[in-house]
């Protein structure tokens, strides 16, 4: 009984009248995320919906975000792109390491492929189907440092976005109370007496400095490695310990020892799986 009362209390704190007015829902009620999209039910319809979104937005960039949980599902999406010749402008890949404090704990702890494995798989799949030239790959999941940024670029990312590092710069102390509306530093809460601790005049400077210095560190690492441009960043220049005595490059770990990415989807599934 006490747990139910507490749950209702936190719900009212999160779905405040202000939030409800913005989202056009009833204050203090559950707002459930749908398990599926109502606009499409298969990959072909998904591509048609993307084209519709492009038309309605006067062909502004349109893409989708996903965390890889089923490799065959993404392969079917690529087949739909080939069939329809409709291509999203970007695909954002989120790794299982990501997830906000608002997500169910079982989801953040267990679902999805780790970022590097997922990104390498998506890169190989898009290249195999001849789609990479049409689509930009964006990635996220615990990308904080300049070295993190270069590692995902080496695995095929065109750009990355980071919330975690920015949150730290903003003042997040990982109190793990994101879902309780009681964040002690005022980052993840709608309570005025808590979020008033976020002094915009101070925090925006911290966030800007973090962003600027992260990019500066990225450039310094590139200079040390001899990378003149982003296109020079390659998977064979990054290494990782794979057991007690052996080290392997990202090229060997994620793309195979043939020294190149798969270029044809003729025997794609045999090579990937």
């Amino acid at each position: 009984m006490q747990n139910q009362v507490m749950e209702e209390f936190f719900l009212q704190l999160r779905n405040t009248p202000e939030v409800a007015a913005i989202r056009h829902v009833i204050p203090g009620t559950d707002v459930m995320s749908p398990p599926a999209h109502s606009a499409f039910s298969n990959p072909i319809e998904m591509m048609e919906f993307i084209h519709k979104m492009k038309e309605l937005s006067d062909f502004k960039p349109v893409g989708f975000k996903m965390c890889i949980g089923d490799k065959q599902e993404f392969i079917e999406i690529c087949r739909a792109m080939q069939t329809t010749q409709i291509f999203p402008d970007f695909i954002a890949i989120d790794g299982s390491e990501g997830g906000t404090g608002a997500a169910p704990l079982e989801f953040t702890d267990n679902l999805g492929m780790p970022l590097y494995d997922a990104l390498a798989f998506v890169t190989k799949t898009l290249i195999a189907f001849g789609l990479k030239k049409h689509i930009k790959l964006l990635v996220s999941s615990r990308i904080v440092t300049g070295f993190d940024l270069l590692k995902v670029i080496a695995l095929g990312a065109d750009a990355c976005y980071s919330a975690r590092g920015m949150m730290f710069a903003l003042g997040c102390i990982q109190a793990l109370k994101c879902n309780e509306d009681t964040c002690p530093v005022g980052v993840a809460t709608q309570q005025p007496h808590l979020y008033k601790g976020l002094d915009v005049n101070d925090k925006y400077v911290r966030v800007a400095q973090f962003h600027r210095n992260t990019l500066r560190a990225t450039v310094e690492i590139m200079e040390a490695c001899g990378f003149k441009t982003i296109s020079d960043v390659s998977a064979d220049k990054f290494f990782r310990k794979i057991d007690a005595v052996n080290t392997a490059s990202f090229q060997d770990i994620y793309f195979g020892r043939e020294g190149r990415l798969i270029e044809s989807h003729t025997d794609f599934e045999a090579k990937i799986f």
Side-chain angles (χ1 to χ4, degrees), residues 4-22:
Q4 182 179 355
V5 172
M6 290 299 294
E7 184 177 347
E8 292 177 356
F9 172 72
F10 287 132
L11 177 59
Q12 291 178 8
L13 288 177
R14 291 192 297 271
N15 188 10
T16 63
E18 181 184 9
V19 172
I22 294 171

Side-chain angles (χ1 to χ4, degrees), residues 187-209:
V187 174
T189 177
Q190 280 91 42
Q191 297 195 49
H193 74 282
L194 291 175
Y195 68 62
K196 71 179 181 181
L198 283 177
D199 183 353
V200 176
N201 292 325
D202 172 54
K203 300 300 184 180
Y204 93 86
V205 175
R206 292 171 180 260
V207 173
Q209 287 178 338

Side-chain angles (χ1 to χ4, degrees), residues 2 15 27 43 47 50-51 56 63 68 74-75 80 83 90 95 104 130 133 140 148 165 190 224 232 238 260 268:
Q2 183 179 2
N15 188 10
M47 293 305 111
I50 286 175
H51 183 68
L56 292 174
I68 302 295
F74 185 72
I75 291 172
T83 300
F90 65 88
K133 60 187 176 182
S140 66
D148 293 335
Q190 280 91 42
D232 293 330
F238 293 82
R260 60 178 176 81
F268 169 72

Side-chain angles (χ1 to χ4, degrees), residues 48-230:
E48 292 172 347
F49 181 70
I50 286 175
H51 183 68
K52 181 179 180 181
M53 293 293 289
K54 287 188 175 185
E55 288 184 324
L56 292 174
S57 65
D58 196 22
F59 289 91
K60 292 182 173 64
V62 174
F64 62 89
K65 177 181 179 180
M66 68 184 303
C67 181
I68 302 295
D70 184 344
K71 290 182 176 180
Q72 190 60 38
E73 184 180 70
F74 185 72
I75 291 172
E76 292 302 324
I77 291 174
C78 290
R79 288 192 177 125
M81 293 181 201
Q82 277 194 329
T83 300
T84 63
Q85 287 297 290
I86 298 171
F87 313 111
D89 296 287
F90 65 88
I91 299 175
I93 299 298
D94 198 1
S96 61
E97 307 91 335
T100 68
L105 189 61
E106 291 282 357
F107 281 51
T108 56
D109 284 351
N110 302 299
L111 297 188
M113 289 177 65
L115 177 61
Y116 293 170
D117 300 274
L119 174 57
F121 166 73
V122 170
T123 297
K124 289 186 289 187
T125 307
L126 292 176
I127 290 175
F129 281 89
L131 302 171
K132 185 65 174 70
K133 60 187 176 182
H134 300 293
I135 301 167
K136 299 299 183 182
L137 271 181
L138 314 181
V139 297
S140 66
S141 280
R142 296 187 181 178
I143 298 173
V144 178
T145 69
F147 191 61
D148 293 335
L149 196 157
L150 290 174
K151 285 190 290 185
V152 296
I153 290 175
L155 293 175
D158 294 289
C160 73
Y161 53 101
S162 170
R164 193 174 304 258
M166 301 297 177
M167 292 284 279
F168 290 160
L170 194 62
C172 172
I173 59 172
Q174 291 191 298
L176 304 181
K177 293 182 178 293
C178 310
N179 63 322
E180 297 180 10
D181 198 44
T182 58
C183 172
V185 293
V187 174
T189 177
Q190 280 91 42
Q191 297 195 49
H193 74 282
L194 291 175
Y195 68 62
K196 71 179 181 181
L198 283 177
D199 183 353
V200 176
N201 292 325
D202 172 54
K203 300 300 184 180
Y204 93 86
V205 175
R206 292 171 180 260
V207 173
Q209 287 178 338
F210 170 77
H211 181 263
R212 181 172 59 253
N213 289 328
T214 300
L215 295 182
R216 181 180 298 166
T218 304
V219 172
E220 290 175 349
I221 295 172
M222 290 180 63
E223 291 172 343
C225 295
F227 300 140
K228 293 183 178 180
T229 66
I230 288 295

